[in-house]
Short mmCIF file of all heavy atoms in Angstrom, two decimals:
data_model
loop_
_atom_site.label_atom_id
_atom_site.label_comp_id
_atom_site.label_asym_id
_atom_site.label_seq_id
_atom_site.Cartn_x
_atom_site.Cartn_y
_atom_site.Cartn_z
N GLN A 446 22.99 -18.31 17.14
CA GLN A 446 23.96 -19.39 17.22
C GLN A 446 25.05 -19.08 18.24
O GLN A 446 25.70 -19.99 18.77
CB GLN A 446 24.59 -19.63 15.84
CG GLN A 446 23.60 -20.07 14.77
CD GLN A 446 22.86 -21.35 15.16
OE1 GLN A 446 23.46 -22.43 15.23
NE2 GLN A 446 21.56 -21.24 15.43
N ALA A 447 25.22 -17.79 18.52
CA ALA A 447 26.21 -17.39 19.53
C ALA A 447 25.59 -17.26 20.92
O ALA A 447 26.26 -16.85 21.87
CB ALA A 447 26.84 -16.05 19.11
N GLY A 448 24.31 -17.57 21.02
CA GLY A 448 23.64 -17.57 22.31
C GLY A 448 23.05 -16.24 22.73
O GLY A 448 22.60 -16.09 23.87
N ALA A 449 23.02 -15.27 21.81
CA ALA A 449 22.48 -13.95 22.15
C ALA A 449 20.96 -13.97 22.21
O ALA A 449 20.31 -14.76 21.51
CB ALA A 449 22.95 -12.92 21.13
N LYS A 450 20.38 -13.11 23.03
CA LYS A 450 18.94 -12.98 23.11
C LYS A 450 18.45 -12.14 21.93
O LYS A 450 19.04 -11.11 21.60
CB LYS A 450 18.52 -12.32 24.42
CG LYS A 450 17.02 -12.25 24.62
CD LYS A 450 16.67 -11.64 25.97
CE LYS A 450 15.15 -11.57 26.13
NZ LYS A 450 14.77 -10.96 27.45
N LEU A 451 17.35 -12.57 21.31
CA LEU A 451 16.84 -11.90 20.12
C LEU A 451 15.56 -11.12 20.43
O LEU A 451 14.83 -11.47 21.36
CB LEU A 451 16.56 -12.92 19.02
CG LEU A 451 17.74 -13.75 18.52
CD1 LEU A 451 17.29 -14.72 17.43
CD2 LEU A 451 18.85 -12.84 17.99
N PRO A 452 15.25 -10.10 19.62
CA PRO A 452 13.97 -9.38 19.76
C PRO A 452 12.79 -10.32 19.58
O PRO A 452 12.91 -11.39 18.97
CB PRO A 452 14.03 -8.33 18.65
CG PRO A 452 15.48 -8.14 18.38
CD PRO A 452 16.11 -9.49 18.59
N SER A 453 11.63 -9.90 20.05
CA SER A 453 10.47 -10.79 20.13
C SER A 453 10.04 -11.35 18.79
O SER A 453 9.67 -12.53 18.69
CB SER A 453 9.30 -10.04 20.77
OG SER A 453 8.94 -8.90 19.99
N THR A 454 10.07 -10.55 17.72
CA THR A 454 9.55 -11.03 16.44
C THR A 454 10.45 -12.07 15.77
O THR A 454 10.03 -12.76 14.84
CB THR A 454 9.35 -9.86 15.45
OG1 THR A 454 10.59 -9.18 15.25
CG2 THR A 454 8.30 -8.88 15.98
N VAL A 455 11.69 -12.19 16.24
CA VAL A 455 12.60 -13.18 15.67
C VAL A 455 13.12 -14.15 16.73
O VAL A 455 14.06 -14.93 16.47
CB VAL A 455 13.80 -12.49 14.97
CG1 VAL A 455 13.37 -11.80 13.71
CG2 VAL A 455 14.50 -11.52 15.92
N SER A 456 12.52 -14.14 17.90
CA SER A 456 13.02 -14.99 18.99
C SER A 456 12.91 -16.48 18.65
O SER A 456 13.65 -17.30 19.20
CB SER A 456 12.25 -14.70 20.28
OG SER A 456 10.86 -14.93 20.10
N TYR A 457 12.01 -16.82 17.71
CA TYR A 457 11.85 -18.23 17.33
C TYR A 457 13.12 -18.80 16.69
O TYR A 457 13.32 -20.02 16.64
CB TYR A 457 10.67 -18.39 16.37
CG TYR A 457 10.87 -17.77 15.00
CD1 TYR A 457 11.34 -18.54 13.93
CD2 TYR A 457 10.58 -16.44 14.77
CE1 TYR A 457 11.53 -17.98 12.69
CE2 TYR A 457 10.75 -15.87 13.52
CZ TYR A 457 11.23 -16.65 12.48
OH TYR A 457 11.41 -16.08 11.24
N LEU A 458 14.01 -17.93 16.20
CA LEU A 458 15.25 -18.40 15.57
C LEU A 458 16.20 -19.03 16.59
O LEU A 458 17.15 -19.73 16.20
CB LEU A 458 15.95 -17.25 14.85
CG LEU A 458 15.20 -16.66 13.64
CD1 LEU A 458 15.97 -15.48 13.07
CD2 LEU A 458 14.98 -17.73 12.57
N GLN A 459 15.95 -18.78 17.86
CA GLN A 459 16.80 -19.38 18.89
C GLN A 459 16.51 -20.87 19.08
O GLN A 459 17.25 -21.56 19.77
CB GLN A 459 16.60 -18.64 20.22
CG GLN A 459 17.13 -17.21 20.17
CD GLN A 459 16.78 -16.41 21.41
OE1 GLN A 459 15.63 -16.37 21.82
NE2 GLN A 459 17.77 -15.77 22.00
N THR A 460 15.42 -21.34 18.47
CA THR A 460 15.05 -22.76 18.63
C THR A 460 14.99 -23.47 17.29
O THR A 460 14.21 -24.40 17.11
CB THR A 460 13.69 -22.89 19.34
OG1 THR A 460 12.69 -22.19 18.57
CG2 THR A 460 13.76 -22.30 20.74
N VAL A 461 15.79 -23.02 16.32
CA VAL A 461 15.81 -23.68 15.02
C VAL A 461 16.30 -25.11 15.20
O VAL A 461 17.37 -25.35 15.77
CB VAL A 461 16.73 -22.95 14.02
CG1 VAL A 461 16.75 -23.68 12.69
CG2 VAL A 461 16.24 -21.52 13.82
N GLN A 462 15.50 -26.05 14.71
CA GLN A 462 15.90 -27.46 14.85
C GLN A 462 16.99 -27.78 13.85
O GLN A 462 16.99 -27.31 12.72
CB GLN A 462 14.69 -28.36 14.62
CG GLN A 462 13.62 -28.19 15.70
CD GLN A 462 12.37 -28.99 15.38
OE1 GLN A 462 12.22 -29.49 14.30
NE2 GLN A 462 11.48 -29.09 16.35
N SER A 463 17.92 -28.60 14.26
CA SER A 463 19.05 -28.95 13.40
C SER A 463 18.68 -29.96 12.34
O SER A 463 19.40 -30.16 11.38
CB SER A 463 20.21 -29.51 14.26
OG SER A 463 19.76 -30.66 14.97
N ALA A 464 17.56 -30.62 12.51
CA ALA A 464 17.13 -31.60 11.53
C ALA A 464 15.62 -31.50 11.37
O ALA A 464 14.92 -30.97 12.22
CB ALA A 464 17.51 -33.02 11.97
N ALA A 465 15.13 -32.03 10.27
CA ALA A 465 13.69 -31.99 10.02
C ALA A 465 12.95 -32.85 11.02
O ALA A 465 13.46 -33.85 11.51
CB ALA A 465 13.40 -32.47 8.60
N VAL A 466 11.73 -32.43 11.33
CA VAL A 466 10.88 -33.24 12.19
C VAL A 466 10.47 -34.48 11.43
O VAL A 466 10.10 -34.42 10.26
CB VAL A 466 9.63 -32.43 12.61
CG1 VAL A 466 8.72 -33.28 13.47
CG2 VAL A 466 10.04 -31.17 13.34
N SER A 467 10.50 -35.61 12.05
CA SER A 467 10.11 -36.84 11.36
C SER A 467 9.42 -37.78 12.33
O SER A 467 9.55 -37.66 13.55
CB SER A 467 11.34 -37.53 10.76
OG SER A 467 12.25 -37.87 11.80
N GLY A 468 8.68 -38.71 11.77
CA GLY A 468 8.03 -39.73 12.57
C GLY A 468 6.90 -39.24 13.43
O GLY A 468 6.53 -39.88 14.41
N VAL A 469 6.33 -38.05 13.11
CA VAL A 469 5.24 -37.53 13.92
C VAL A 469 3.92 -38.14 13.48
O VAL A 469 3.74 -38.55 12.35
CB VAL A 469 5.17 -35.99 13.80
CG1 VAL A 469 6.41 -35.36 14.36
CG2 VAL A 469 4.96 -35.56 12.34
N ALA A 470 2.98 -38.18 14.41
CA ALA A 470 1.65 -38.68 14.09
C ALA A 470 0.92 -37.64 13.26
O ALA A 470 1.35 -36.51 13.12
CB ALA A 470 0.91 -38.98 15.38
N ALA A 471 -0.21 -38.06 12.70
CA ALA A 471 -1.03 -37.13 11.92
C ALA A 471 -1.38 -35.91 12.76
O ALA A 471 -1.70 -36.03 13.94
CB ALA A 471 -2.29 -37.84 11.44
N ARG A 472 -1.30 -34.74 12.16
CA ARG A 472 -1.50 -33.51 12.90
C ARG A 472 -2.93 -32.99 12.70
O ARG A 472 -3.54 -33.17 11.65
CB ARG A 472 -0.50 -32.45 12.45
CG ARG A 472 0.95 -32.85 12.72
CD ARG A 472 1.89 -31.74 12.24
NE ARG A 472 3.28 -32.08 12.47
CZ ARG A 472 3.92 -31.90 13.62
NH1 ARG A 472 3.28 -31.40 14.66
NH2 ARG A 472 5.20 -32.22 13.75
N ASP A 473 -3.42 -32.30 13.72
CA ASP A 473 -4.73 -31.66 13.64
C ASP A 473 -4.52 -30.30 12.98
O ASP A 473 -4.14 -29.33 13.63
CB ASP A 473 -5.32 -31.49 15.04
CG ASP A 473 -6.67 -30.78 15.01
OD1 ASP A 473 -7.17 -30.51 13.89
OD2 ASP A 473 -7.22 -30.49 16.09
N LEU A 474 -4.81 -30.21 11.69
CA LEU A 474 -4.52 -29.00 10.93
C LEU A 474 -5.59 -27.93 11.10
O LEU A 474 -5.53 -26.89 10.42
CB LEU A 474 -4.34 -29.35 9.45
CG LEU A 474 -3.11 -30.21 9.14
CD1 LEU A 474 -3.03 -30.55 7.67
CD2 LEU A 474 -1.83 -29.51 9.59
N ASN A 475 -6.54 -28.15 11.99
CA ASN A 475 -7.47 -27.08 12.35
C ASN A 475 -7.06 -26.41 13.66
O ASN A 475 -7.66 -25.41 14.06
CB ASN A 475 -8.90 -27.62 12.49
CG ASN A 475 -9.55 -27.83 11.13
OD1 ASN A 475 -9.35 -27.05 10.21
ND2 ASN A 475 -10.32 -28.91 10.99
N ASN A 476 -6.05 -26.98 14.30
CA ASN A 476 -5.59 -26.47 15.58
C ASN A 476 -4.67 -25.28 15.37
O ASN A 476 -3.68 -25.36 14.64
CB ASN A 476 -4.86 -27.58 16.34
CG ASN A 476 -4.42 -27.16 17.72
OD1 ASN A 476 -3.52 -26.34 17.87
ND2 ASN A 476 -5.07 -27.71 18.74
N PHE A 477 -4.99 -24.16 16.02
CA PHE A 477 -4.20 -22.95 15.81
C PHE A 477 -2.74 -23.13 16.22
O PHE A 477 -1.84 -22.60 15.58
CB PHE A 477 -4.81 -21.78 16.60
CG PHE A 477 -6.01 -21.16 15.94
CD1 PHE A 477 -6.91 -20.41 16.67
CD2 PHE A 477 -6.22 -21.30 14.58
CE1 PHE A 477 -8.01 -19.82 16.06
CE2 PHE A 477 -7.31 -20.72 13.95
CZ PHE A 477 -8.21 -19.98 14.70
N ASP A 478 -2.51 -23.85 17.29
CA ASP A 478 -1.12 -24.05 17.74
C ASP A 478 -0.33 -24.83 16.70
O ASP A 478 0.85 -24.53 16.44
CB ASP A 478 -1.10 -24.80 19.08
CG ASP A 478 -1.61 -23.92 20.22
OD1 ASP A 478 -1.50 -22.69 20.12
OD2 ASP A 478 -2.11 -24.50 21.22
N VAL A 479 -0.97 -25.83 16.09
CA VAL A 479 -0.31 -26.63 15.06
C VAL A 479 -0.02 -25.77 13.83
O VAL A 479 1.08 -25.82 13.26
CB VAL A 479 -1.16 -27.86 14.68
CG1 VAL A 479 -0.56 -28.58 13.46
CG2 VAL A 479 -1.28 -28.82 15.85
N LEU A 480 -1.00 -24.97 13.42
CA LEU A 480 -0.81 -24.12 12.24
C LEU A 480 0.29 -23.09 12.48
O LEU A 480 1.15 -22.86 11.61
CB LEU A 480 -2.13 -23.42 11.89
CG LEU A 480 -3.24 -24.33 11.37
CD1 LEU A 480 -4.56 -23.57 11.26
CD2 LEU A 480 -2.87 -24.94 10.02
N THR A 481 0.27 -22.47 13.65
CA THR A 481 1.32 -21.48 13.96
C THR A 481 2.69 -22.14 14.00
O THR A 481 3.67 -21.59 13.48
CB THR A 481 1.02 -20.81 15.32
OG1 THR A 481 -0.27 -20.22 15.29
CG2 THR A 481 2.05 -19.73 15.62
N GLU A 482 2.74 -23.32 14.60
CA GLU A 482 4.02 -24.03 14.68
C GLU A 482 4.52 -24.42 13.30
O GLU A 482 5.73 -24.38 13.02
CB GLU A 482 3.87 -25.28 15.55
CG GLU A 482 5.19 -25.98 15.85
CD GLU A 482 5.03 -27.24 16.68
OE1 GLU A 482 3.88 -27.55 17.10
OE2 GLU A 482 6.04 -27.94 16.90
N ALA A 483 3.59 -24.77 12.40
CA ALA A 483 3.99 -25.14 11.04
C ALA A 483 4.66 -23.96 10.34
O ALA A 483 5.71 -24.12 9.70
CB ALA A 483 2.76 -25.60 10.26
N TYR A 484 4.07 -22.79 10.46
CA TYR A 484 4.64 -21.61 9.81
C TYR A 484 5.94 -21.17 10.50
O TYR A 484 6.87 -20.69 9.84
CB TYR A 484 3.62 -20.47 9.80
CG TYR A 484 2.65 -20.58 8.65
CD1 TYR A 484 1.45 -21.29 8.79
CD2 TYR A 484 2.93 -20.01 7.41
CE1 TYR A 484 0.56 -21.41 7.74
CE2 TYR A 484 2.05 -20.12 6.35
CZ TYR A 484 0.87 -20.82 6.51
OH TYR A 484 -0.01 -20.95 5.46
N GLN A 485 6.00 -21.33 11.80
CA GLN A 485 7.23 -20.99 12.51
C GLN A 485 8.36 -21.92 12.09
O GLN A 485 9.49 -21.47 11.82
CB GLN A 485 7.02 -21.10 14.02
CG GLN A 485 8.30 -20.88 14.83
CD GLN A 485 8.08 -20.98 16.31
OE1 GLN A 485 7.24 -20.28 16.86
NE2 GLN A 485 8.81 -21.88 16.97
N HIS A 486 8.05 -23.20 12.00
CA HIS A 486 9.06 -24.18 11.60
C HIS A 486 9.56 -23.90 10.19
O HIS A 486 10.77 -23.94 9.91
CB HIS A 486 8.47 -25.59 11.69
CG HIS A 486 9.46 -26.67 11.40
ND1 HIS A 486 9.64 -27.18 10.14
CD2 HIS A 486 10.33 -27.34 12.20
CE1 HIS A 486 10.56 -28.13 10.18
NE2 HIS A 486 11.00 -28.24 11.41
N ARG A 487 8.63 -23.60 9.29
CA ARG A 487 9.00 -23.29 7.91
C ARG A 487 9.91 -22.07 7.86
O ARG A 487 10.97 -22.08 7.19
CB ARG A 487 7.74 -23.04 7.09
CG ARG A 487 8.00 -22.49 5.68
CD ARG A 487 6.69 -22.02 5.08
NE ARG A 487 6.85 -21.40 3.78
CZ ARG A 487 6.24 -20.28 3.41
NH1 ARG A 487 5.45 -19.64 4.26
NH2 ARG A 487 6.41 -19.79 2.20
N ALA A 488 9.53 -20.99 8.56
CA ALA A 488 10.33 -19.77 8.54
C ALA A 488 11.72 -20.02 9.12
O ALA A 488 12.74 -19.60 8.55
CB ALA A 488 9.62 -18.66 9.32
N ALA A 489 11.78 -20.70 10.26
CA ALA A 489 13.06 -20.94 10.92
C ALA A 489 13.99 -21.76 10.03
O ALA A 489 15.18 -21.46 9.91
CB ALA A 489 12.83 -21.66 12.26
N ARG A 490 13.44 -22.79 9.41
CA ARG A 490 14.26 -23.64 8.56
C ARG A 490 14.75 -22.90 7.31
O ARG A 490 15.89 -23.06 6.89
CB ARG A 490 13.47 -24.89 8.15
CG ARG A 490 13.14 -25.83 9.30
CD ARG A 490 14.36 -26.59 9.78
NE ARG A 490 14.87 -27.48 8.75
CZ ARG A 490 16.05 -28.08 8.79
NH1 ARG A 490 16.84 -27.89 9.83
NH2 ARG A 490 16.44 -28.87 7.82
N LEU A 491 13.89 -22.06 6.73
CA LEU A 491 14.30 -21.33 5.53
C LEU A 491 15.33 -20.25 5.86
O LEU A 491 16.22 -19.97 5.05
CB LEU A 491 13.07 -20.72 4.84
CG LEU A 491 12.18 -21.74 4.11
CD1 LEU A 491 10.91 -21.09 3.61
CD2 LEU A 491 12.94 -22.38 2.93
N VAL A 492 15.21 -19.63 7.02
CA VAL A 492 16.25 -18.69 7.45
C VAL A 492 17.57 -19.43 7.64
O VAL A 492 18.64 -18.95 7.22
CB VAL A 492 15.84 -17.96 8.75
CG1 VAL A 492 17.02 -17.15 9.30
CG2 VAL A 492 14.64 -17.05 8.51
N LYS A 493 17.51 -20.58 8.28
CA LYS A 493 18.72 -21.39 8.50
C LYS A 493 19.36 -21.79 7.16
O LYS A 493 20.58 -21.66 6.98
CB LYS A 493 18.35 -22.65 9.29
CG LYS A 493 19.48 -23.67 9.47
CD LYS A 493 18.96 -24.90 10.21
CE LYS A 493 19.96 -26.05 10.21
NZ LYS A 493 21.17 -25.73 10.99
N VAL A 494 18.54 -22.24 6.22
CA VAL A 494 19.05 -22.65 4.90
C VAL A 494 19.73 -21.47 4.21
O VAL A 494 20.83 -21.60 3.65
CB VAL A 494 17.91 -23.21 4.03
CG1 VAL A 494 18.36 -23.33 2.57
CG2 VAL A 494 17.46 -24.57 4.55
N ALA A 495 19.08 -20.30 4.24
CA ALA A 495 19.64 -19.12 3.57
C ALA A 495 20.94 -18.68 4.24
O ALA A 495 21.95 -18.41 3.56
CB ALA A 495 18.62 -17.99 3.56
N ALA A 496 20.92 -18.58 5.56
CA ALA A 496 22.10 -18.10 6.29
C ALA A 496 23.28 -19.05 6.12
O ALA A 496 24.41 -18.61 5.87
CB ALA A 496 21.75 -17.94 7.77
N GLU A 497 23.02 -20.33 6.25
CA GLU A 497 24.12 -21.30 6.11
C GLU A 497 24.56 -21.45 4.66
O GLU A 497 25.71 -21.80 4.40
CB GLU A 497 23.69 -22.63 6.71
CG GLU A 497 23.48 -22.52 8.23
CD GLU A 497 23.26 -23.87 8.90
OE1 GLU A 497 23.12 -24.88 8.19
OE2 GLU A 497 23.24 -23.89 10.15
#
Side-chain angles (χ1 to χ4, degrees):
Q446 298 302 292
K450 184 178 179 180
L451 300 180
S453 60
T454 59
V455 290
S456 59
Y457 68 95
L458 294 177
Q459 292 173 310
T460 58
V461 178
Q462 295 174 349
S463 59
V466 178
S467 60
V469 296
R472 297 180 180 276
D473 178 5
L474 294 178
N475 282 323
N476 184 290
F477 281 159
D478 290 334
V479 172
L480 291 172
T481 304
E482 188 181 356
Y484 277 90
Q485 175 180 304
H486 184 268
R487 171 192 176 224
R490 293 287 296 167
L491 287 173
V492 171
K493 174 183 170 67
V494 167
E497 294 189 352

